[in-house]
Amino acid sequence: MNITNERMCIPTLNTEDVLQAIKAVVRIDEEWIPTAENTSLYIRPFIIATDPFLGVRPSNSYLFMIILSPVGAYYKEGINPVSIWVEEEYVRAVRGGVGYAKTGGNYAASLKAQMAAKAMGYTQVLWLDGMERKYIEEVGTMNVFFKINGEVITPSLEGSILPGVTRNSTIALLKDWGYTVVERKISIDELYEAYDAGQLEEVFGTGTAAVISPVGSLNYRGNCITVNNNKIGDLSQKLYDTTTGIQTGRLEDKYGWIVKVD
Ligand SMILES: *Cc1c(COP(=O)(O)O)cnc(C)c1O
């Protein structure tokens, strides 16, 4: 949030204060924490400008809020891979813009392509870079990972991609398990070449809500490919199980990711 605030000319917040505020509101709504398997209490802190003013300048007053909502299991019938439309006409963000900020305008910019993809029967859009429409950025509102010939590749953070928390945790887990994880530019052509060579093993998105979302198929310029027989891959499953295991306390948190609300 502070990275975003800095970009949007919003004052940054004291992280310790925010943590205390989250704990306080979670304590108040304690009884809303769902207990069924794979459910959770979604916590969304956000900040809006509140100056009563017409014109373009940073606001002098802000409202910081935390809203909570119990959420059901993201995957009701097991984890089903999603189908992806590789978007060539619209772009989500460009370098130098606000793509790395978690700000409403980025979602506004993404809706048109998302709706078109949905109408064609695709679940999500894979964004390409805004300049050459060649390099892979992210998928929908998730960061994206590719397992190619045993190695895991994810697009490097060049300013137009959201630096997701789940992306970070995923990289940490993979490195811990001995995988080679490479953050670099990867073009859509390289991905299709890996597929043609029989080396594209797994594709998955990462984000807070879905945790790990396997990609089962992609369509780029009418060229459809199927990943791992449209099934969740072993690595995607292991990442999902481990991440949710740490979140729920089923597995030990050796990374210091968990905060106890006491
Ligand atoms: C929120 C979001 C993500 C995922 O970030 P997490 O911190 O892992 O939830 C990725 N891409 C976009 C565009 C997002 O808005």
Side-chain angles (χ1 to χ4, degrees):
M1 187 173 229
N2 277 343
I3 293 169
T4 295
N5 286 10
E6 200 280 320
R7 180 64 179 84
M8 307 311 287
C9 298
I10 298 172
T12 55
L13 295 159
N14 178 291
T15 50
E16 193 48 42
D17 290 349
V18 170
L19 197 56
Q20 293 309 321
I22 291 173
K23 284 183 183 176
V25 72
V26 169
R27 261 183 239 117
I28 290 169
D29 274 348
E30 192 174 353
E31 289 178 20
W32 283 99
I33 301 173
T35 50
E37 178 113 18
N38 292 326
T39 61
S40 57
L41 186 71
Y42 192 92
I43 304 169
R44 177 169 296 179
F46 64 103
I47 191 163
I48 55 169
T50 51
D51 273 9
F53 177 76
L54 293 172
V56 179
R57 59 149 175 80
S59 185
N60 291 315
S61 56
Y62 294 89
L63 190 59
F64 171 66
M65 282 178 276
I66 302 162
I67 56 174
L68 307 174
S69 174
V71 290
Y74 195 89
Y75 299 106
K76 283 169 197 79
E77 291 120 20
I79 305 180
N80 289 318
V82 295
S83 56
I84 299 285
W85 173 261
V86 183
E87 180 58 43
E88 267 204 290
E89 185 180 359
Y90 301 107
V91 298
R92 177 187 164 272
V94 290
R95 260 184 285 154
V98 297
Y100 69 91
K102 206 154 182 89
T103 189
N106 286 334
Y107 298 109
S110 75
L111 291 177
K112 184 92 176 164
Q114 183 62 46
M115 288 301 110
K118 217 171 168 184
M120 290 183 290
Y122 295 88
T123 323
Q124 293 271 349
V125 164
L126 181 71
W127 299 105
L128 300 180
D129 80 276
M131 293 194 208
E132 298 175 73
R133 298 184 202 186
K134 178 177 169 187
Y135 296 102
I136 294 167
E137 299 247 290
E138 50 186 327
V139 43
T141 54
M142 289 185 286
N143 293 111
V144 68
F145 288 74
F146 306 98
K147 181 163 172 265
I148 297 175
N149 202 17
E151 186 177 277
V152 183
I153 301 163
T154 192
S156 42
L157 305 174
E158 312 271 347
S160 51
I161 301 173
L162 202 286
V165 175
T166 322
R167 177 185 183 276
N168 262 354
S169 322
T170 299
I171 291 172
L173 287 173
L174 289 170
K175 286 189 172 163
D176 221 25
W177 297 338
Y179 281 92
T180 306
V181 188
V182 191
E183 296 177 61
R184 65 164 169 88
K185 284 186 168 189
I186 174 167
S187 70
I188 186 72
D189 290 334
E190 181 184 342
L191 189 74
Y192 270 66
E193 278 158 25
Y195 172 82
D196 287 339
Q199 297 186 330
L200 182 60
E201 292 154 357
E202 292 186 38
V203 180
F204 57 90
T206 64
T208 298
V211 187
I212 301 291
S213 181
V215 172
S217 61
L218 293 132
N219 183 335
Y220 175 56
R221 295 185 174 169
N223 220 330
C224 292
I225 60 173
T226 303
V227 186
N228 195 40
N229 295 317
N230 205 19
K231 300 236 159 49
I232 183 167
D234 292 342
L235 188 60
S236 306
Q237 184 74 57
K238 188 176 172 189
L239 282 164
Y240 179 83
D241 292 342
T242 307
T243 307
T244 53
I246 293 171
Q247 286 171 343
T248 56
R250 196 171 65 239
L251 298 175
E252 183 205 348
D253 169 30
K254 50 179 180 164
Y255 308 94
W257 292 336
I258 296 303
V259 172
K260 277 218 164 106
V261 180
D262 35 35

